[in-house]
Amino acid sequence: MKDIDRFERKTPPDQEIKEAHVWRTEEGKPQLELDAPTIVQYRQPDTRTIYPDGVELRFYDENRRVQTLIRAKKATSFDDKNILTASDSVVVIDYTNGDTVYLKDITWESDNDIIYSHNPVRAVNGNRVTYGDGFTSDGSMTNLRITRQRGTIEFND
């Protein structure tokens, strides 16, 4: 009976997309580019989009240059709430200041224009490595701040 109940409870996706490449533009200018091997969308019980095989997001500046890249092995977008959570080996590369941030997970609340994590982070910039307990940034990743910074270790090759 347990196997039958589990089979009946599993809801098939409403839509599944393979090898997705999506652009979001405003007045013809790119703002966001998304690449994902698989996108699975559900409408019930709540509207959500799942990226089970990973996702890569590229944010563009007004000159159409990649400003920030976010890569994760898994992600879920809660479409009704305009929230995206990414987990499992998250990497954020800020091309403007040269920071690469390694995280366990991040949350992007687009309505509040904030991206954050409350888990440990490691940021690398040149020969500096900074550790902290989390980070916050605006939605375009132009104002990245490490919270509860533990220190910076400089190293030479």
Side-chain angles (χ1 to χ4, degrees):
M1 284 309 283
K2 287 180 184 179
D3 291 335
I4 292 171
D5 286 343
R6 188 173 48 235
F7 177 75
E8 289 178 353
R9 281 185 294 190
K10 185 167 175 123
T11 306
D14 293 297
Q15 185 175 26
E16 186 170 344
I17 303 164
K18 296 287 187 180
E19 301 302 323
H21 185 86
V22 178
W23 284 91
R24 183 177 79 187
T25 63
E26 186 173 301
E27 297 178 2
K29 294 181 181 177
Q31 290 183 320
L32 174 72
E33 183 180 12
L34 179 147
D35 283 309
T38 306
I39 299 176
V40 181
Q41 295 179 321
Y42 294 91
R43 290 192 192 111
Q44 298 294 331
D46 56 344
T47 305
R48 67 195 183 287
T49 304
I50 300 172
Y51 306 88
D53 301 321
V55 65
E56 185 170 290
L57 299 163
R58 285 174 292 285
F59 295 85
Y60 288 83
D61 65 13
E62 61 277 352
N63 297 317
R64 299 181 179 179
R65 290 186 303 248
V66 177
Q67 182 177 352
T68 306
L69 177 133
I70 299 176
R71 185 181 302 131
K73 290 186 179 179
K74 297 177 186 172
T76 302
S77 174
F78 300 94
D79 302 332
D80 292 340
K81 300 174 185 174
N82 292 324
I83 295 174
L84 174 86
T85 61
S87 61
D88 197 359
S89 303
V90 179
V91 177
V92 178
I93 301 172
D94 183 343
Y95 292 105
T96 304
N97 65 19
D99 283 335
T100 301
V101 183
Y102 301 91
L103 310 118
K104 178 181 175 182
D105 60 25
I106 61 169
T107 302
W108 177 17
E109 296 180 11
S110 60
D111 286 350
N112 296 327
D113 193 39
I114 186 170
I115 298 175
Y116 61 89
S117 176
H118 299 300
N119 288 306
V121 303
R122 179 173 56 105
V124 178
N125 185 317
N127 64 347
R128 293 181 320 171
V129 179
T130 304
Y131 296 91
D133 289 337
F135 91 99
T136 59
S137 179
D138 59 356
S140 62
M141 294 297 292
T142 57
N143 192 13
L144 184 101
R145 287 189 213 138
I146 295 175
T147 56
R148 292 187 289 275
Q149 192 170 353
R150 293 197 180 180
T152 299
I153 300 170
E154 293 194 29
F155 61 91
N156 295 319
D157 286 341

